[in-house]
Amino acid sequence: MKQIEVRDVHFEYQTEQEILKGLSFTIDQRPTAIIGQNGAGKSTLVKLIKGLIRPTKGKILINQEDIAQKTVAQIAKQVGLVFQNPDDQIFKHTVLDEVLFGPLQIGLQKKEAKTAAREALELLGLEGLEKVNPYDLGLSERKLVSIAAIIAMDTDIVIFDEPTIAQDAMGKQRIQHLIRRLREQGKLVISILHDMDFVAETFERVLVFGNGEVLLDGSTKEVFSHKDIIEEAALTLPTTAQLCYSLGCNELFLTPQDFIDDQKAQS
């Protein structure tokens, strides 16, 4: 069973300025959202999982193997990371070459890589743009290209950093469908997010970070039921949850459809 174990992980960029303060948890098959204000330690954790930096203390294990024993290149075959800003990731002159790069780097033959790249582009609604320069596309499409580039690598773990940036409703639906598909394929999906409605509608588990610690960890509904801690972490609740609290509902709902279905059942 695929999993990531974080064991008493500390990290500091400068002496006596700890960014992470003894994190311990296991990420399992449930798509997991990591939420928290800027500076809470979310991006630092992702860099540690990718092996880009190493813990000051503690261990990170992927499938029971300590990644301290692995190179960044070895970890890249297991962990794919979609950057928050696609312009920090994209560097090729055509969409197809951009999506091909990762699969080729991890050892796929060109024919296999092309098949994987075209499937990823189709999944993200980007078919027909193979020969286009990514920088001739808008930000929302460049973000989808950067996602396709990671999906084509077929890693066991996929990490998204703010996947819904610049996305309209259709773009969010595509990404939501992708996350569900990855889960069905048995992959681990982690995402850093500020879009609480997308978190509520898409993820099964939520970790709330604050000041380098985990403030909450549980099912999405359970986490958002702790209104006081969410507010202390300077976060907002999903829109439907805010409505439930405003109306004094006996039950917390996270999506508009769940709320509507409940109201219909009571009428």
Side-chain angles (χ1 to χ4, degrees):
M1 186 176 183
K2 301 180 183 71
Q3 63 179 21
I4 301 171
E5 295 177 71
V6 178
R7 296 184 182 174
D8 190 29
V9 167
H10 296 248
F11 182 80
E12 56 187 34
Y13 287 104
Q14 298 178 7
T15 305
E16 298 182 359
Q17 290 186 359
E18 268 198 325
I19 306 299
L20 300 180
K21 304 173 182 178
L23 302 185
S24 292
F25 51 84
T26 298
I27 295 176
D28 54 30
Q29 295 295 132
R30 293 171 293 173
T32 299
I34 301 176
I35 63 176
Q37 282 295 303
N38 292 336
K42 307 182 303 296
S43 295
T44 299
L45 174 66
V46 167
K47 290 177 183 177
L48 288 165
I49 293 172
K50 278 288 291 179
L52 302 176
I53 54 178
R54 303 290 179 170
T56 308
K57 177 186 174 185
K59 294 181 179 181
I60 295 177
L61 292 83
I62 295 178
N63 301 333
Q64 301 182 334
E65 292 184 340
D66 188 348
I67 64 171
Q69 311 304 319
K70 294 178 177 288
T71 66
V72 173
Q74 288 172 326
I75 295 170
K77 294 181 179 181
Q78 292 179 285
V79 183
L81 170 62
V82 180
F83 290 12
Q84 177 175 337
N85 184 349
D87 296 345
D88 292 337
Q89 183 174 332
I90 292 170
F91 68 100
K92 291 291 187 177
H93 296 298
T94 71
V95 167
L96 183 58
D97 283 344
E98 182 64 39
V99 181
L100 272 174
F101 180 78
L104 291 173
Q105 288 297 111
I106 62 172
L108 265 67
Q109 296 299 312
K110 192 162 187 180
K111 184 177 180 180
E112 294 176 305
K114 276 193 173 181
T115 298
R118 293 187 185 281
E119 287 177 353
L121 289 170
E122 183 177 354
L123 190 60
L124 274 302
L126 297 169
E127 63 271 29
L129 299 177
E130 290 84 353
K131 295 181 180 180
V132 175
N133 188 314
Y135 285 100
D136 289 335
L137 301 173
L139 176 59
S140 62
E141 288 180 313
R142 293 203 304 279
K143 182 72 175 184
L144 295 176
V145 169
S146 70
I147 292 173
I150 298 303
I151 297 306
M153 293 172 68
D154 195 28
T155 55
D156 286 341
I157 298 163
V158 182
I159 303 175
F160 297 95
D161 193 347
E162 301 292 353
T164 60
I165 280 180
Q167 298 301 314
D168 59 13
M170 184 176 292
K172 289 183 181 182
Q173 285 179 356
R174 282 199 180 104
I175 295 168
Q176 186 180 72
H177 172 73
L178 171 64
I179 290 169
R180 289 173 178 166
R181 176 169 171 159
L182 293 172
R183 195 226 194 284
E184 290 169 359
Q185 292 173 344
K187 298 181 184 297
L188 294 191
V189 180
I190 307 167
S191 185
I192 295 172
L193 281 155
H194 284 91
D195 185 338
M196 296 301 142
D197 288 336
F198 190 77
V199 171
E201 294 171 3
T202 309
F203 290 87
E204 298 175 31
R205 178 185 180 188
V206 177
L207 293 168
V208 180
F209 275 33
N211 194 30
E213 299 177 304
V214 176
L215 305 180
L216 289 170
D217 175 7
S219 70
T220 307
K221 190 170 185 176
E222 178 187 354
V223 165
F224 285 126
S225 70
H226 293 279
K227 181 174 180 286
D228 53 342
I229 299 177
I230 295 293
E231 290 176 347
E232 285 174 15
L235 298 170
T236 58
L237 290 162
T239 304
T240 304
Q242 292 181 44
L243 179 62
C244 288
Y245 282 115
S246 297
L247 296 176
C249 297
N250 293 325
E251 186 176 352
L252 179 67
F253 298 101
L254 298 182
T255 69
Q257 191 59 54
D258 288 342
F259 180 79
I260 291 168
D261 290 345
D262 179 72
Q263 294 303 300
K264 285 181 177 179
Q266 294 185 39
S267 61

